[in-house]
């Protein structure tokens, strides 16, 4: 293939003169130069810059064809010249070294010149530019048209979760997933399905003129985040449609705690229980129950996530707290208890000053001893000698005796009678 200098400086001078030759309006209508406004090609591949002569009259003779490339500074420079009899010439230019060829696709010496398209072999990033096809004719002067060569590189994409290190409770967002689009030209655009903050960055890609885009999705670790499926969307000029990449998040977070078991229905003497519920990653290492006043009341016993109250008494009127701890931190929940007197439907009558309650005329009232100095059983109408004890009788059922002002009673019938001895 002919290179620069084949025809000497006279041909180049001729091309410059013809390019500057003005053409009249009537002459312009004799022919048109057809190009594509935009030509896309991929890095390392070939691209063809279309340039065809559309004749309106038959007496048009092409005298010279020149392709010019506009450099980054906007200065045009000739990169390929074709003469009807002498053929193609490629002026020396550092942008087009010997091993990379520019080639007229269809033009041949001695033939009618109608297709002046130019092939650019082995595209590089710096080939992206504006190219102008100039056609000089006789007797109708010259005309030109421009096309933009867009050089693309299709990126490689991947998405993966980020390891979130175990750390004390922290409400700051941390990276939980990463989406990378590598080696694209131009840089890819990345977005996430979650409406959350994403830190995007760019760096040079593996090939000159390419870019690698990285997007880090950041969220505050929580149970709502852990196990959630998110999608990374990558958009690029070389894609027919966006690329969707899904990942399932795995993040550690401190326990999130709640308490169940109380519905404003705890009555004296009943047995009740609270249950501590949690969501946690990793699993908890310990559970702890206490109250806002400190330790648990005597009637309450903690068993792991459960808090058992064997017999509700007035000491249960407090706020219970469940603490759950894992490797990340500790979470807690509170439940305030308001104890009610007697269950609905129970009649309660009290007397003072050594009085005698009316005892059922049938059956027997039995008393179970709760204190060491009390008798094991007491017949109907019998009273202890100790002062300030509250006795309770149940019709045809067990009777519980509690010291002081504790009135905790386990009932199993609809009739309940009490008497207090001073």
């Amino acid at each position: 293939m002919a290179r620069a200098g084949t025809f000497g400086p006279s041909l180049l001078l001729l091309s410059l003169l013809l390019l500057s030759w003005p053409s009249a309006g009537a002459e312009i209508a004799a022919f048109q130069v057809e190009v594509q406004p935009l030509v896309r090609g991929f890095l390392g591949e070939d691209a063809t810059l279309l340039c065809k002569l559309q004749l309106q009259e038959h007496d048009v003779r092409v005298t010279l064809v020149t392709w010019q490339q506009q450099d980054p500074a906007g200065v045009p420079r000739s990169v390929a010249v074709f003469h009807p009899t002498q053929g193609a010439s490629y002026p020396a230019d550092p942008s087009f070294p010997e091993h990379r060829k520019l080639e007229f696709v269809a033009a041949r010496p001695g033939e009618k010149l109608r297709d002046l398209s130019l092939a650019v072999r082995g595209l590089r990033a710096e080939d992206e530019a504006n190219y102008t096809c100039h056609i000089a004719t006789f007797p109708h002067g010259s005309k030109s048209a421009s096309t933009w060569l867009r050089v693309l590189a299709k990126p490689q994409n991947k998405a993966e979760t980020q390891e979130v290190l175990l750390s004390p409770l922290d409400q700051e967002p941390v990276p939980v997933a990463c989406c990378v689009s590598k080696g694209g030209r131009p840089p890819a655009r990345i977005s996430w399905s979650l409406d959350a903050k994403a830190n995007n960055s760019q760096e040079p890609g593996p090939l000159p003129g390419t870019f690698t885009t990285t997007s880090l999705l950041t969220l505050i670790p929580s149970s709502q985040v852990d196990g959630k499926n998110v999608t990374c969307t990558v958009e690029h000029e070389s894609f027919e449609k966006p690329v969707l990449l899904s990942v399932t998040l795995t993040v550690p977070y401190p326990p999130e705690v709640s308490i169940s078991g109380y519905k404003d229905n705890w009555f004296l003497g009943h047995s009740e229980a609270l249950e501590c519920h949690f969501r946690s990653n990793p699993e908890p290492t310990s559970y702890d129950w206490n109250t806002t006043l400190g330790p648990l009341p005597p009637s309450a016993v903690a068993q792991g996530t459960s808090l058992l109250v064997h017999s509700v008494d007035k000491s249960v009127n407090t706020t219970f707290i469940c603490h759950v701890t894992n490797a990340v931190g500790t979470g807690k929940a509170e439940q305030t208890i308001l104890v009610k007197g007697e269950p609905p439907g129970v009649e309660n009558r009290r007397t003072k000053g050594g009085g005698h309650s009316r005892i059922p005329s049938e059956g027997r009232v039995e008393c179970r001893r709760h204190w060491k100095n009390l008798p094991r059983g007491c017949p109907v109408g019998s009273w202890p000698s100790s002062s300030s004890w509250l006795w309770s009788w149940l019709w045809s059922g067990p009777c519980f005796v509690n010291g002081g002002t504790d009135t905790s009673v386990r009932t199993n019938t609809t009739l309940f009678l009490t008497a207090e001895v001073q």
Side-chain angles (χ1 to χ4, degrees):
M1 180 176 294
R3 304 302 302 175
T6 302
F7 308 122
S10 59
L11 181 58
L12 295 179
L13 178 59
L14 175 61
S15 67
L16 294 176
L17 290 173
L18 290 174
L19 290 176
S20 61
W21 183 14
S23 56
E27 295 170 338
I28 293 176
F31 70 96
Q32 297 291 332
V33 179
E34 179 186 354
V35 299
Q36 293 174 309
L38 176 65
V39 174
R40 290 185 175 91
F42 285 94
L43 206 64
E45 299 181 6
D46 300 342
T48 298
L49 307 179
L50 178 71
C51 181
K52 291 186 177 181
L53 186 65
Q54 299 294 336
L55 297 177
Q56 305 298 324
E57 298 182 11
H58 297 289
D59 61 341
V60 177
R61 181 167 58 89
V62 176
T63 57
L64 194 68
V65 177
T66 304
W67 275 96
Q68 289 185 321
Q69 180 196 54
Q70 188 172 313
D71 65 17
V75 178
R77 57 189 178 188
S78 296
V79 294
V81 178
F82 194 92
H83 189 273
T85 58
Q86 300 182 36
S89 175
Y90 304 91
D93 193 308
S95 298
F96 297 97
E98 189 70 27
H99 67 279
R100 292 183 63 251
K101 295 189 302 181
L102 293 173
E103 183 180 2
F104 283 93
V105 176
R108 298 292 182 268
E111 298 180 1
K112 290 184 177 181
L113 298 180
R114 298 294 182 263
D115 187 349
L116 296 315
S117 301
L118 184 71
V120 184
R121 312 293 186 190
L123 286 175
R124 300 181 304 172
E126 50 266 41
D127 294 334
E128 182 170 299
N130 190 66
Y131 292 82
T132 302
C133 177
H134 297 269
I135 300 179
T137 70
F138 181 83
H140 299 291
S142 63
K143 195 170 184 180
S144 64
S146 297
T147 184
W148 178 263
L149 175 59
R150 180 76 159 163
V151 179
L152 304 176
K154 185 176 293 187
Q156 301 298 313
N157 312 291
K158 68 175 182 178
E160 57 189 7
T161 58
Q162 293 290 99
E163 181 182 2
V164 180
L165 300 178
L166 298 177
S167 62
L169 180 60
D170 189 357
Q171 293 301 312
E172 292 297 321
V174 296
V176 295
C178 178
C179 191
V180 179
S181 183
K182 181 180 180 182
R185 178 180 173 85
R189 299 178 301 278
I190 297 178
S191 59
W192 294 89
S193 58
L194 284 183
D195 184 17
K197 181 180 179 182
N199 296 325
N200 295 335
S201 61
Q202 288 181 9
E203 60 183 11
L207 296 177
T210 63
F211 305 87
T212 295
T213 303
T214 301
S215 181
L216 290 174
L217 179 67
T218 60
L219 294 167
I220 296 176
S222 68
S223 61
Q224 288 74 31
V225 174
D226 186 45
K228 192 175 187 65
N229 187 272
V230 297
T231 300
C232 163
T233 300
V234 183
E235 297 176 279
H236 193 264
E237 190 175 337
S238 64
F239 297 158
E240 293 184 2
K241 59 182 181 179
V243 173
L244 305 180
L245 304 170
S246 297
V247 295
T248 301
L249 302 180
T250 301
V251 299
Y253 60 93
E256 298 177 0
V257 186
S258 62
I259 297 176
S260 67
Y262 177 73
K263 297 182 178 179
D264 195 27
N265 59 349
W266 284 25
F267 295 94
L268 290 171
H270 279 207
S271 64
E272 301 288 354
L274 296 177
E275 188 66 27
C276 189
H277 305 276
F278 62 88
R279 299 181 69 178
S280 171
N281 185 22
E283 288 296 310
T285 55
S286 66
Y287 314 94
D288 181 50
W289 287 89
N290 61 9
T291 70
T292 52
L293 301 177
L296 295 174
S299 56
V301 178
Q303 294 184 359
T305 59
S306 300
L307 181 70
L308 307 179
V309 181
H310 296 294
S311 183
V312 174
D313 54 34
K314 289 185 177 180
S315 67
V316 179
N317 275 312
T318 186
T319 298
F320 292 96
I321 306 174
C322 175
H323 301 265
V324 181
T325 302
N326 69 358
V328 181
T330 298
K332 70 176 183 178
E334 298 183 358
Q335 179 63 66
T336 300
I337 305 297
L338 298 175
V339 176
K340 297 182 179 295
E342 287 84 20
V346 174
E347 299 178 7
N348 182 22
R349 291 178 291 178
R350 305 175 186 273
T351 62
K352 283 196 174 185
H356 192 287
S357 288
R358 289 189 297 170
I359 306 301
S361 59
E362 298 180 4
R364 175 180 175 82
V365 176
E366 296 181 355
C367 303
R368 187 182 305 167
R369 187 174 66 178
H370 279 238
W371 308 94
K372 292 182 179 179
N373 60 344
L374 295 181
R376 185 173 295 276
C378 41
V380 174
S382 175
W383 304 93
S385 59
S386 302
S387 62
S388 299
W389 293 102
L390 180 65
W391 287 78
S392 302
W393 288 269
L394 290 108
W395 176 249
S396 298
C399 148
F400 294 88
V401 180
N402 298 314
T405 59
D406 186 353
T407 59
S408 175
V409 177
R410 169 67 65 182
T411 63
N412 63 355
T413 185
T414 59
L415 182 60
F416 174 66
L417 300 171
T418 64
E420 184 174 347
V421 180
Q422 301 292 335

